[in-house]
Amino acid sequence: MGAASPAMWAGLVLAALLLAQSAAALPRFAEAPEYRNGEGCPAPVAGAGVCDPGLVHIAMTLDAHYLRGSMAAIYSLLKHASCPESLFFHFLAAEGGGAPAVADLRAAVAASFPSLRFEIYPFRADAVAGLISASVRAALEAPLNYARNHLADLLPRCVPRAIYLDSDVLAVDDVRRLWETRLPAAAVVAAPEYCHANFSRYFTEAFWNDPVLGARVFAGRRRAPCYFNTGVMVIDLRRWRVGNYRQRIERWMEMQKEKRIYELGSLPPFLLVFAGEIEAVDHRWNQHGLGGDNVFGSCRPLHNGPVSLMHWSGKGKPWDRLDAGKPCPLDHTWKSYDLYIGENDSSASGQSRSALSSSAALPAGVFSW
């Protein structure tokens, strides 16, 4: 092999600097308490690994800014699971473009959750970059927001279904109850529906006035189309593959590039494909909107009714509001699961397991069951 050219050396040095920068950018997190399976949990099948039929598969994205939210979400899911050792996490992480290296993300997750069963799948931005249109908020244009469209392509074929969760959620119930949602033969996705919401506002007037689009798109579906939030979904991956649903979503994204038919990011294409076709799940599994709207991120209370999962969808994220000294009331509940070690934290090792365990006690009266 010949000697490396100056240009090659320069490229290697630049790559090393970028890697060091991404590693340095990752925040520090404390080690979470360890949780074990209770009675009645399925015994692991020897040698089955990720294909073990007793596993509950959870898919999430990982990136530098939302990593703090992801860590809190993982912690909450483990804490409230009846069989925490049966949870298997599938993380989708951006590859290249200055994103944290997969090895650094893996080390960060393993340090806080030494016994966690998980895998990280690199996701390249160029898989969707040419399909993304401008949105009302820049964060909604991030390629990683569209990684959920590729779950069926990235996860092992033996995984039958997955619960997809956004990084700004907090579980306060056993996620196995959501996992066991029955999906009838006609359904590919299950999620809470919100039929009181104004469904028409998710699309432009040009869409509704188009003689080929508009209401005709949703004609003949199982039910009248309703809004659902894509931050909490149970997805049948086998049916997704058979139905080529990624391609169906991308066809709408391609149309959006030619004719502006919606304003938000990755949500409207999902609605165009699945609204009126999903299996409805109890609203308790997505108490969303706690991050306010997509512009101001103002404080919002919980909706009426029981709560199994809280979701800070919207502009306002609890970690940002807490750091700014302007938290909303419910952000303090999220804080009890926060593993983040601040730059000025005098304790290099972070909070102890016992301190975390006690701090995670939920305020009495916040939740109804």
Side-chain angles (χ1 to χ4, degrees):
M1 186 180 206
S5 67
M8 184 181 296
W9 279 116
L12 290 172
V13 170
L14 178 60
L17 287 173
L18 286 173
L19 180 61
Q21 186 180 37
S22 68
L26 286 183
R28 296 183 304 151
F29 299 95
E31 183 178 339
E34 192 163 4
Y35 296 99
R36 295 295 184 187
N37 282 356
E39 294 183 4
C41 292
V45 177
V50 70
C51 299
D52 190 328
L55 294 177
V56 171
H57 296 276
I58 300 171
M60 302 175 68
T61 58
L62 288 181
D63 69 353
H65 180 68
Y66 287 93
L67 183 59
R68 188 170 171 185
S70 300
M71 299 292 261
I74 297 165
Y75 179 21
S76 71
L77 288 159
L78 293 171
K79 177 177 174 59
H80 295 282
S82 57
C83 303
E85 293 175 277
S86 299
L87 303 187
F88 195 106
F89 288 82
H90 303 267
F91 298 119
L92 313 181
E95 183 178 46
V102 167
D104 296 323
L105 290 170
R106 186 183 302 278
V109 172
S112 288
F113 306 101
S115 301
L116 191 71
R117 306 177 73 174
F118 73 95
E119 186 53 75
I120 299 180
Y121 308 84
F123 179 74
R124 294 195 60 83
D126 57 16
V128 294
L131 296 169
I132 298 175
S133 302
S135 183
V136 295
R137 183 159 56 93
L140 299 177
E141 300 169 23
L144 202 56
N145 288 337
Y146 297 84
R148 59 188 161 209
N149 302 352
H150 294 253
L151 276 179
D153 301 318
L154 295 172
L155 270 58
R157 293 283 174 140
C158 63
V159 176
R161 64 163 62 182
I163 298 172
Y164 174 83
L165 298 175
D166 277 351
S167 297
D168 50 1
V169 304
L170 204 67
V172 292
D173 197 353
D174 186 359
V175 73
R176 182 173 284 275
R177 295 176 182 171
L178 178 60
W179 171 259
E180 292 174 347
T181 298
R182 189 184 73 85
L183 273 170
V188 178
V189 171
E193 279 186 313
Y194 304 91
C195 294
H196 64 278
N198 183 358
F199 184 77
S200 63
R201 73 184 180 92
Y202 291 95
F203 305 98
T204 63
E205 287 188 16
F207 170 82
W208 291 113
N209 293 333
D210 191 300
V212 178
L213 303 175
R216 291 193 177 191
V217 171
F218 307 102
R221 300 204 174 181
R222 294 173 62 206
R223 296 188 307 279
C226 293
Y227 160 73
F228 66 94
N229 181 279
T230 52
V232 180
M233 298 184 290
V234 180
I235 303 174
D236 188 305
L237 298 175
R238 292 170 177 169
R239 295 177 189 173
W240 181 287
R241 294 188 194 101
V242 171
N244 294 316
Y245 282 95
R246 176 175 64 80
Q247 290 84 349
R248 295 191 195 189
I249 290 172
E250 289 177 349
R251 281 199 288 271
W252 285 111
M253 294 173 68
E254 290 168 354
M255 181 178 291
Q256 166 78 347
K257 301 289 284 187
E258 302 170 2
K259 178 190 300 184
R260 196 155 185 84
I261 56 176
Y262 54 81
E263 299 295 345
L264 291 174
S266 60
L267 168 64
F270 251 89
L271 294 179
L272 287 164
V273 173
F274 290 110
E277 297 286 357
I278 71 167
E279 184 68 9
V281 174
D282 194 292
H283 290 175
R284 68 188 302 152
W285 284 106
N286 193 352
Q287 281 267 350
H288 68 297
L290 302 183
D293 60 24
N294 281 307
V295 179
F296 300 107
S298 53
C299 297
R300 287 183 179 175
L302 289 170
H303 309 301
N304 292 330
V307 184
S308 292
L309 185 141
M310 304 164 70
H311 186 189
W312 277 261
S313 58
K315 184 179 180 182
K317 302 307 174 189
W319 56 90
D320 289 334
R321 296 193 293 215
L322 285 160
D323 288 351
K326 299 178 180 179
C328 294
L330 288 172
D331 295 346
H332 295 289
T333 301
W334 182 91
K335 177 63 179 174
S336 66
Y337 293 87
D338 187 14
L339 299 174
Y340 175 66
I341 302 173
E343 293 180 2
N344 299 322
D345 195 324
S346 59
S347 172
S349 61
Q351 299 162 279
S352 68
R353 289 188 177 198
S354 59
L356 277 169
S357 184
S358 61
S359 71
L362 296 169
V366 170
F367 307 106
S368 58
W369 303 99

